[in-house]
Every structure is written in C-alpha cells, then in structure tokens.
Amino acid sequence: MSKLKKVLFDEYDGFADKRIKRLESGKSFIADDRGPRDYGAGKQLFLWFCLIFVDVEEKSRINVKLLGGIPFNKDIEAWAEAKKFAVNTNAQVALSMDIVAGEQGALEELASLIEQIVAPGKKYPLAAYKYVCQERRLHYAE
C-alpha cells in the first residue's frame, strides 16, 4: 500500500490534511486542480468547482469522490449505475467510485463522458455550464 500512497503523496503534494506527514498515517488526497482563481472573496471554493478526492483503501483499491460542480447528465448517471458507483443528485451532485487494480479505465470513461458535456460548441444541459465550462477551458489553457 505504501508504494501507491507514495506515488499519490508525491503527485498531490501530500495528504488532503497537510498536518499528516507519515505515509502510514493518512489515506486521503485532494486530486483536483484547485488554484487561486477557484476561490471567492471569502476564501471558499466557488460552488461550481468540482472537488476530487482519492482515498487509498487497500493495496489495490482506491475510492474516488467527485463533489460539487460536476458536469453531469443522464449518460453519466446511467454509466455510474451500470458500474454500480454511488450517485447522489440531491443538493449538489456527488459521485463515489471504488476502483480496483485493472479497472482504472473507468476513470477514462468518465472523463470522456464529461468531455462530451463541456466540449465547445455544444448546447449545455445546464445554462450555467456556458460560463463554468468556458472558465475551466481558460484555466487549463494557462
């Protein structure tokens, strides 16, 4: 387990809780690309921001959670249900995925489904995506 944790620790500059420094003590990582432009005046992430957390559960199993401003539609909901991933669409969307070694292709499938929603020139399922998706594209271009 420590090899996987070490890779994630190095990639994401430590654990989500920055007070934890020992590999055996932590398991949660912030895997989104948050930066200074993603926070409002109150130093809180904008509501549209998609938070991504990765928890190392076992040697060959992680849990990936997406919360908040996830570009979401019926295709993603059907995909998640087919994969038996947990989806909560109450106040804000939450998607929780247990990924075991060999099944990491599911993350690429999800990325492809999200990309279909946010691609330029598309009619967005939510009016707010017109602004949110444009902001993310500008953010990535920097």
Side-chain angles (χ1 to χ4, degrees), residues 38-47:
D38 299 313
Y39 292 88
K43 300 192 183 202
Q44 298 292 318
L45 285 167
F46 288 119
L47 291 176

Side-chain angles (χ1 to χ4, degrees), residues 9-125:
F9 189 90
D10 291 344
E11 179 67 24
Y12 298 118
D13 195 28
F15 291 108
D17 182 341
K18 297 298 183 193
R19 298 172 297 178
I20 300 174
K21 304 294 182 199
R22 297 177 46 186
L23 286 177
E24 57 275 358
S25 299
K27 72 172 194 170
S28 296
F29 299 90
I30 296 173
D32 53 55
D33 63 348
R34 64 184 71 178
R37 293 181 59 192
D38 299 313
Y39 292 88
K43 300 192 183 202
Q44 298 292 318
L45 285 167
F46 288 119
L47 291 176
W48 53 260
F49 190 81
C50 177
L51 295 93
I52 304 172
F53 297 95
V54 175
D55 292 342
V56 178
E57 302 294 348
E58 298 174 357
K59 182 178 180 180
S60 60
R61 182 173 63 90
I62 61 172
N63 179 268
V64 179
K65 289 184 200 75
L66 284 76
L67 307 164
I70 305 167
F72 195 79
N73 63 14
K74 295 287 184 197
D75 292 339
I76 292 177
E77 188 170 21
W79 170 84
E81 288 176 8
K83 297 274 188 191
K84 297 188 177 17
F85 294 147
V87 177
N88 180 346
T89 57
N90 287 340
Q92 282 194 322
V93 176
L95 177 60
S96 178
M97 304 171 284
D98 279 332
I99 307 290
V100 297
E103 294 181 3
Q104 58 272 23
L107 296 173
E108 291 177 359
E109 292 171 11
L110 176 60
S112 178
L113 289 168
I114 290 173
E115 197 167 85
Q116 290 174 26
I117 295 171
V118 301
K122 295 264 185 164
K123 181 170 171 66
Y124 297 122

